[in-house]
Amino acid sequence: MIGGPPSPKVVPIRPPNPALARFRWMAEVLASPQFTDAEARILLRLALHQNIETGVLFVGFEKLAKGANQKKRKAIATIAKAAKLGAIKRIARRGRGRANSYNLEKVHACAPFSGKGARPGIESPPKRCTPVHPYREESTGGENHPTQEQLERLREKYPQYFKPER
C-alpha cells in the first residue's frame, strides 16, 4: 500500500437553501388536512411573496386575497387560523398602510414532508391528526368488500355502472 490509510472524504457544508425551505413549507401546507383548498391557496400565495435572498415576507390582505382569487375576509381568517395553528408567525406592524410581516414555520407533525421520522431513543409526540394508510384495503381491514350477492343486486339495479359481461 502506498501512502498509508485513505484520507477521509471531505464534504463541503452547504448553507441552507431558502428556496428549498419555502418549497417544503408549501408542500406541507398542501398535504396538511388542517387547511381547506381555498386556505391552502391563500397560504401558497403568501409564501410566494417571500423574498428568497433576504427572507422578508410581508404582504397586505387585499393583495393576498386578489392573488389567491378569494375575498379579503377569507384571507384574514386564513392568516389568523394559520397563526393559531403555528404554521406561520405573524409580526404585527402598526399603522395605516403598513403590512404585517410573517415567518414560515413548520406546518404540522403528521404532514408527510415535515420530518425525517422517528429516531431511536426519542419518544415522538402524539400525532394530532388521523393517519390514513396508503392502501385502502389495509386501512379498512378488508371487511368492507361487497359479497357476490351484493354485486349481483347492484348489477341488476345499476347496469350502466358495470362493464358488460362477455
Side-chain angles (χ1 to χ4, degrees):
M1 233 172 124
I2 301 173
S7 63
K9 184 176 179 181
V10 178
V11 179
I13 298 174
R14 289 185 287 170
N17 186 348
L20 182 60
R22 179 176 73 173
F23 176 77
R24 285 187 178 144
W25 185 87
M26 292 167 70
E28 289 175 7
V29 166
L30 286 174
S32 176
Q34 295 177 324
F35 301 112
T36 64
D37 291 341
E39 292 169 345
R41 192 178 335 162
I42 290 171
L43 292 174
L44 292 180
R45 288 302 298 184
L46 176 73
L48 289 175
H49 281 281
Q50 183 183 30
N51 186 333
I52 294 298
E53 295 164 359
T54 62
V56 175
L57 171 58
F58 64 93
V59 63
F61 290 120
E62 294 88 7
K63 191 172 190 177
L64 188 62
K66 186 176 180 182
N69 197 20
Q70 299 291 323
K71 302 283 185 191
K72 180 182 174 185
R73 294 296 311 157
K74 181 69 175 174
I76 293 170
T78 300
I79 296 299
K81 178 180 177 181
K84 183 179 178 185
L85 292 174
I88 60 173
K89 183 179 178 185
R90 188 169 137 190
I91 302 154
R93 294 171 54 192
R94 304 281 182 205
R96 185 178 176 96
R98 297 191 61 168
N100 293 330
S101 181
Y102 303 96
N103 289 333
L104 306 179
E105 304 289 330
K106 187 175 177 179
V107 174
H108 196 267
C110 70
F113 303 105
S114 61
K116 295 181 180 178
R119 293 180 286 176
I122 298 175
E123 185 177 330
S124 60
K127 293 188 176 183
R128 291 179 277 175
C129 69
T130 307
V132 177
H133 202 279
Y135 302 107
R136 181 178 36 178
E137 291 83 11
E138 293 177 16
S139 65
T140 59
E143 302 97 27
N144 295 336
H145 294 291
T147 63
Q148 196 64 28
E149 298 169 357
Q150 292 171 334
L151 281 174
E152 292 301 324
R153 277 188 272 147
L154 289 172
R155 188 173 280 124
E156 290 172 6
K157 193 172 183 180
Y158 305 104
Q160 68 271 19
Y161 296 118
F162 289 89
K163 291 181 181 178
E165 293 182 13
R166 294 182 187 178

